[in-house]
Amino acid sequence: MSSAPPLPDWDRAVVKVGSALIAPDDRGCSTTHLLPIARFIIESRRQGKEVILVSSGAVAAGLAEQGRTGPGAGLSIPERQAFAALGQPLLMAHWRRLFDVSCAQVLLTYDDLQRRARFVNAKNTIAELLDRGTLPIVNENDTVATEELKVGDNDNLAAYVAVLAEADLLVICSDVDGLYTADPYEDPDAERLPVVEAITDDIYDMVGGSHRAVATGGMRTKVEAAEKATDRGIDTVLVNGTKGDHLDALGRGEMPGTLFRRAERPLSARKHWMLHALPAAGRIVVDAGAVRALRERGASLLPSGVVDVEGPFAQGDAVEVVTLENDDAPVRVAKGITQYGADALRRIQGRQSHAIAEVLGAAPTDHVIHRDDLVLTRPARS
């Protein structure tokens, strides 16, 4: 640990604890790995820092309450909702035993993050709880969430919470020592990366799914969460929560796991929300000239650069902007809010802006996506 970078200074952190730590034997909640995590949170609060806890484990607790053992994979949506409803109060009671401060339960769905007004309401609620000295404990509201309204894993939920809470640090507690060059459970030569300066396609190529059936995420979801957080200027740490000395080291400002450094030029709150929270309703394919204009000049997307339109979307919807490489594989370029629906855009694609009114009978704007409503994305294959 001596060669690892120091933990960046922080005042507000989100700590995510996964099912592998809360229900290590798939038999309901256990304190086996939680005492060092609780100690880290308690000591951080004593230092005047603020902590928000994102906890998995409701479904596992509900299964145990009903006398069922084993992972919750394969449950239907109604079954998962029922077991989550049974397990939520048990999970909260489990955590409350470890703290001598008031704890508040906050349940979120993807809809709360996608809709800007609800996002702000959640942000204000958490801010008020912190002002009152309360420990917010956040989980996805599995009792009502459908597939369309689910974040799907608490790694990404923790990143969203870190963003809405304006945290300085995201701590993801897992059952591995950090990010490795390969799966350490399968490759004995895999090496841990102490620092990740930027999340690239090479980083994603290293990661796969979870090795535990009880978990809904895996290393990939942790990298996705780190990307969301670092894009907004939030340092992210992946640490082994099964090792108490790693949590103690974290409390001393040391870095025992993997540090994902925050972006030097973070996205604005609005553009981060557009990129990571708004679902894309369709896709616009653009030519090489439009790609250069967007990437190099920060220009708006004009109809002249559009070569194809995919999917039914309406004015005001979020859409992906992609280009085609030599093998015709779509490559992400940007994401933004379109000023024209798909049908209208098909009629004006490839035309100059001054021709919009001639084709449509009116020209509300001369651009398809204004640069203020557009955010460039990592140029990965779509």
Side-chain angles (χ1 to χ4, degrees):
M1 293 184 190
S2 58
S3 61
L7 182 70
D9 292 335
W10 62 277
D11 294 311
R12 178 179 294 175
V14 170
V15 177
K16 183 267 177 178
V17 183
S19 297
L21 305 180
I22 294 172
D25 56 1
D26 299 342
R27 294 178 180 271
C29 297
S30 167
T31 59
T32 302
H33 302 309
L34 301 191
L35 292 175
I37 297 172
R39 186 166 63 242
F40 169 76
I41 293 174
I42 292 169
E43 182 56 34
S44 297
R45 286 172 55 94
R46 284 177 180 164
Q47 296 173 14
K49 301 176 185 291
E50 296 176 324
V51 179
I52 301 159
L53 178 62
V54 175
S55 174
S56 302
V59 173
L63 286 167
E65 173 72 3
Q66 292 288 291
R68 292 181 55 169
T69 59
L75 293 174
S76 67
I77 292 177
E79 286 176 325
R80 188 171 186 85
Q81 290 173 331
F83 285 120
L86 285 164
Q88 284 290 358
L90 301 174
L91 180 64
M92 282 297 296
H94 187 67
W95 278 114
R96 286 180 66 89
R97 287 195 292 268
L98 302 179
F99 299 106
D100 58 357
V101 298
S102 61
C103 301
Q105 184 179 51
V106 180
L107 298 176
L108 298 174
T109 68
Y110 185 56
D111 203 40
D112 298 317
L113 306 167
Q114 171 187 339
R115 298 179 185 275
R116 191 64 181 169
R118 296 176 71 164
F119 180 95
V120 173
N121 286 339
K123 173 187 177 76
N124 292 340
T125 298
I126 289 178
E128 181 65 23
L129 291 171
L130 291 173
D131 286 345
R132 292 175 177 271
T134 300
L135 175 64
I137 300 179
V138 183
N139 198 355
E140 183 154 20
N141 194 355
D142 284 324
T143 61
V144 300
T146 62
E147 286 302 316
E148 293 78 11
L149 296 180
K150 284 180 66 63
V151 176
D153 66 90
N154 276 351
D155 294 320
N156 279 285
L157 177 64
Y160 286 124
V161 172
V163 170
L164 70 84
E166 298 182 353
D168 311 299
L169 180 69
L170 170 61
V171 179
I172 301 176
C173 297
S174 184
D175 58 348
V176 293
D177 287 350
L179 177 65
Y180 283 76
T181 54
D183 187 343
Y185 291 91
E186 299 179 0
D187 186 351
D189 295 326
E191 298 181 1
R192 180 176 64 86
L193 300 176
V195 180
V196 174
E197 298 290 347
I199 297 173
T200 63
D201 281 353
D202 290 339
I203 296 297
Y204 275 104
D205 288 342
M206 295 179 187
V207 300
S210 172
H211 65 281
R212 299 184 73 254
V214 73
T216 56
M219 190 56 67
R220 184 176 184 86
T221 62
K222 291 165 180 54
V223 173
E224 290 172 351
E227 183 174 24
K228 288 180 175 65
T230 55
D231 275 354
R232 188 67 183 103
I234 302 169
D235 288 307
T236 300
V237 170
L238 177 58
V239 65
N240 195 329
T242 69
K243 297 181 178 179
D245 59 328
H246 285 206
L247 272 300
D248 293 339
L250 206 64
R252 296 191 299 269
E254 300 173 9
M255 210 9 272
T258 295
L259 169 65
F260 297 85
R261 291 198 190 277
R262 64 181 182 265
E264 292 184 2
R265 300 176 63 183
L267 293 174
S268 68
R270 185 172 183 272
K271 289 199 172 185
H272 188 279
W273 171 73
M274 286 166 44
L275 177 60
H276 292 298
L278 275 183
R283 178 184 284 178
I284 298 174
V285 183
V286 299
D287 61 24
V291 173
R292 288 192 296 272
L294 297 179
R295 288 180 176 164
E296 298 174 12
R297 302 201 304 272
S300 299
L301 176 61
L302 303 179
S304 58
V306 177
V307 297
D308 198 8
V309 178
E310 300 177 9
F313 54 82
Q315 177 186 8
D317 281 346
V319 294
E320 285 188 336
V321 179
V322 303
T323 191
L324 300 180
E325 292 191 335
N326 294 334
D327 57 359
D328 289 335
V331 176
R332 289 198 306 265
V333 176
K335 187 177 179 183
I337 308 297
T338 178
Q339 297 301 310
Y340 290 93
D343 291 341
L345 186 51
R346 289 188 180 97
R347 296 173 62 191
I348 62 173
Q349 71 181 51
R351 295 176 177 267
Q352 297 297 317
S353 296
H354 61 74
I356 295 176
E358 299 174 16
V359 176
L360 299 181
T365 68
D366 63 356
H367 53 265
V368 178
I369 302 177
H370 191 275
R371 62 185 180 184
D372 292 342
D373 292 330
L374 183 142
V375 55
L376 296 177
T377 59
R378 185 169 50 84
R381 288 185 181 274
S382 180

